[in-house]
Amino acid sequence: MFEAPVNTESLLAQAQAETLYLNLIEQINKDFNLANEGIDFPLSISPDELKIQLHEKIYRMIQYKFAEYLNLLYIIDVPENEIKQLDGSDLVILAEQVAFLILKREWQKVWFRNYYK
């Protein structure tokens, strides 16, 4: 059964272990493009680099494109109650936490699609 990862590193390790890492990248690219936030992570991107680039993208969106950031969260379907629980006093930490919530939701989509196909 699906168990939500506790942090980004365990999530990415689990995705690689289940050979669904490429599906995760494709899902992220798809949902960002649906939100009109062009992002195109190459399938060859390393997990560490994915984590860094996603964090930077979210940080820039929070600072400069807040309406688009909210739209992205809606399209990805990040639970609103989890976003509300975050402390927004430090934008760098907030962006890192939001990036994890996005990865967690995208991973959930990929895992369920694979498990129930």
Side-chain angles (χ1 to χ4, degrees), residues 32-104:
F32 268 81
N33 287 320
L34 279 174
N36 292 324
E37 279 306 314
I39 198 166
D40 191 23
F41 291 124
L43 296 179
S44 60
I45 193 169
S46 72
D48 289 336
E49 191 61 30
L50 174 67
K51 176 184 170 186
I52 291 167
Q53 286 188 23
L54 183 62
H55 176 243
E56 289 174 357
K57 176 72 172 177
I58 298 304
Y59 179 76
R60 284 192 305 274
M61 287 183 77
I62 292 172
Q63 275 197 313
Y64 305 113
K65 299 169 92 178
F66 196 73
E68 292 86 347
Y69 159 76
L70 294 176
N71 186 47
L72 175 70
L73 294 179
Y74 176 77
I75 286 174
I76 292 175
D77 193 26
V78 176
E80 187 177 343
N81 63 330
E82 290 185 14
I83 294 290
K84 286 182 177 179
Q85 291 174 2
L86 300 178
D87 176 17
S89 60
D90 184 340
L91 277 187
V92 174
I93 294 171
L94 177 66
E96 185 178 353
Q97 293 169 335
V98 170
F100 171 64
L101 292 178
I102 288 172
L103 278 172
K104 189 165 73 167

Side-chain angles (χ1 to χ4, degrees), residues 14-42:
Q14 186 179 356
Q16 286 183 304
E18 296 190 30
T19 62
L20 294 173
Y21 179 69
L22 296 181
N23 300 49
L24 179 62
I25 294 171
E26 289 171 350
Q27 184 67 45
I28 293 168
N29 286 339
K30 176 184 157 196
D31 284 346
F32 268 81
N33 287 320
L34 279 174
N36 292 324
E37 279 306 314
I39 198 166
D40 191 23
F41 291 124

